[in-house]
Amino acid sequence: MQLKKNTISNSKILVTGGLGYIGSHTSVELIQQGFEVIIVDDLSNSSPSVLEGIKKIIDYPITFIELDLKDKNSVKDLFELNPDISGVIHFAASKAVGESRIKPIEYYENNLVSLINLLKEIDKKGDSFPFIFSSSCTVYGQADQLPINELAPIKKAESPYGNTKQVGEEILFDALIANKCLRVVSLRYFNPIGAHPSGEIGELPNGKPQNLVPFITQTAAGIHKKLSVFGNDYPTIDGTCIRDYIHIVDLAKAHVIALRHITLKNQVKSFEVFNIGTGKGSTVLEVIKTFEKISGQSLNYEISPRRKGDITAAYADTRKANKVLGWEAELSLEEALISAWKWEKKIREL
Ligand code: NAD
Ligand code: WQD
């Protein structure tokens, strides 16, 4: 395949959690944009088969190292053996909100110790060093104003998982003040959905999915009898909650653009936060109707009680990312659901 020539020198990028959902799609975009990529992953929530999927799309050599970032000696060896790592995109984390309430200590350990181990090695670097952090719209809780911009107050986290994102950003902010080389972009994702249009990689939820779109596609594939719609008595147009669903490929591209942005910028110290969403909110029932339209089948669903901890509405004000990064989401909800459904049918061999 034709790869773009990368104009940024010394551009070997470490992608942690690169076999996961967002990391795999971002690795594809990075390679297609001419970056050299080293993926590390401990396979705690992914499978080696994802690497095969990535290779089918890019047809280009890719380095994968199985490694647990909680192990500080392994992280030290990684950086010593790869002194030319010139930037990190840090996806590796545990991400299930409900599970984090049951295993809070494991979540704090995995999400924060991994980050600290990386920062300890980056501290030894002499040149400016870009670091992109996977943050989440969850840091805003139920924002007082919609759409949500980056200046919206951070609300008390609803879960230990959410707190690891807030504390992670604080750790990075403090690290940046003390380290003159570090440059940080924290991307606060809204709701990533869909799969690569090739059908070679997509989301692989562990067990019963908690998120709406994989539950929809699994229900349509016959794995679950019906989808529960959690509440229809919210103060929204149809009573169901509103979220900002962003196509995974748009989200992946935002990382490459953010990486170029901090790498090329002539400013030594910087900590920048960007909302990454479409700017458009959709209700749960709108997502269901759109899925029914693109799949041509009716979905079995019922209205159930509200899910504890759910907020009424969240969608992004993306003007900062549009203006400063020159990035905007290009793909529609329909396109995202088409790709999600194609992926579900492929993995279920339907
Ligand atoms: P994912 O679980 O699919 O990917 C994370 C990857 O990290 C997995 O492959 C897992 O095996 C790996 N990993 C976990 N702990 C590790 C460790 N100690 N060492 C090495 N590898 C480790 O999750 P995702 O959906 O791709 O999310 C990526 C990042 O984005 C996470 O930080 C998550 O919190 C954040 N995020 C995700 C969403 C979402 O809805 N998917 C939304 C906002 C933020
Ligand atoms: C979306 C909407 C549900 C499942 C979660 C995390 C958040 C972030 C993104 C990482 C809600 C409704 C869902 C179902 C339903 N992740 N729903 N039936 O809750 O916005 O955010 O993922 O940072 O931290 O909390 O996403 O996909 O779970 O739910 O009715 O079976 O769909 O109530 O309104 P959410 P979601």
Side-chain angles (χ1 to χ4, degrees), residues 95 97 135-138 161-162 165 189-192 209-215 227-231 234 240-243 245 284 307 310-312:
K95 66 164 180 179
V97 173
S135 189
S136 170
C137 65
T138 198
Y161 165 75
K165 293 298 169 193
Y189 316 149
F190 280 66
N191 291 57
Q210 305 302 309
N211 296 116
L212 178 63
V213 170
F215 210 102
L227 167 81
S228 296
V229 172
F230 298 139
Y234 287 94
T240 63
C241 295
I242 295 175
R243 296 290 184 273
Y245 297 94
V284 175
R307 181 172 69 177
D310 270 344
I311 55 168
T312 304

Side-chain angles (χ1 to χ4, degrees), residues 6 30 35 56 66 72 101 107 118 127 159 164 166 183 193 202 264 274 294 312 317 319 322 328 339:
N6 180 24
L30 282 168
F35 288 88
K56 278 189 191 150
E66 187 176 340
K72 70 170 186 247
R101 296 194 179 102
Y107 268 66
L118 286 168
D127 298 328
S159 67
T164 68
Q166 297 187 3
R183 295 170 185 194
I193 60 164
L264 296 174
F274 295 99
I294 64 96
T312 304
D317 180 338
R319 282 177 298 177
N322 301 157
E328 72 180 309
S339 67

Side-chain angles (χ1 to χ4, degrees), residues 42-93:
D42 68 353
L43 303 177
S44 57
N45 197 33
S46 53
S47 132
S49 66
V50 177
L51 193 61
E52 301 314 311
I54 296 174
K55 284 180 181 163
K56 278 189 191 150
I57 301 169
I58 56 165
D59 188 22
Y60 193 76
I62 184 163
T63 308
F64 166 60
I65 301 167
E66 187 176 340
L67 182 154
D68 182 351
L69 292 163
K70 293 196 295 302
D71 177 359
K72 70 170 186 247
N73 291 328
S74 300
V75 179
K76 189 165 175 270
D77 290 349
L78 171 71
F79 276 81
E80 281 175 6
L81 291 171
N82 296 279
D84 51 348
I85 289 175
S86 59
V88 173
I89 306 186
H90 180 45
F91 294 104

Side-chain angles (χ1 to χ4, degrees), residues 188-191 244 246 275-280 316 318 327-329:
R188 293 180 180 159
Y189 316 149
F190 280 66
N191 291 57
D244 184 340
I246 175 169
N275 284 344
I276 303 295
T278 65
K280 187 176 173 300
T318 61
W327 168 90
E328 72 180 309

Side-chain angles (χ1 to χ4, degrees), residues 208-310:
K208 200 172 179 182
Q210 305 302 309
N211 296 116
L212 178 63
V213 170
F215 210 102
I216 288 177
T217 55
Q218 287 194 7
T219 305
I223 293 155
H224 310 291
K225 276 208 183 93
K226 60 173 79 149
L227 167 81
S228 296
V229 172
F230 298 139
N232 68 347
D233 56 351
Y234 287 94
T236 63
I237 184 171
D238 57 24
T240 63
C241 295
I242 295 175
R243 296 290 184 273
D244 184 340
Y245 297 94
I246 175 169
H247 195 303
I248 187 70
V249 171
D250 276 331
L251 176 61
K253 286 181 176 166
H255 292 80
V256 184
I257 291 173
L259 183 65
R260 286 190 185 282
H261 167 75
I262 34 172
T263 308
L264 296 174
K265 222 167 77 168
N266 278 332
Q267 189 185 319
V268 178
K269 283 195 182 192
S270 67
F271 182 99
E272 290 178 284
V273 174
F274 295 99
N275 284 344
I276 303 295
T278 65
K280 187 176 173 300
S282 305
T283 67
V284 175
L285 290 178
E286 283 168 347
V287 176
I288 293 171
K289 296 290 164 224
T290 308
F291 177 80
E292 290 182 327
K293 185 175 148 206
I294 64 96
S295 66
Q297 67 182 84
S298 70
L299 195 75
N300 193 14
Y301 69 89
E302 67 179 3
I303 305 298
S304 303
R306 289 182 176 198
R307 181 172 69 177
K308 191 174 169 286
D310 270 344

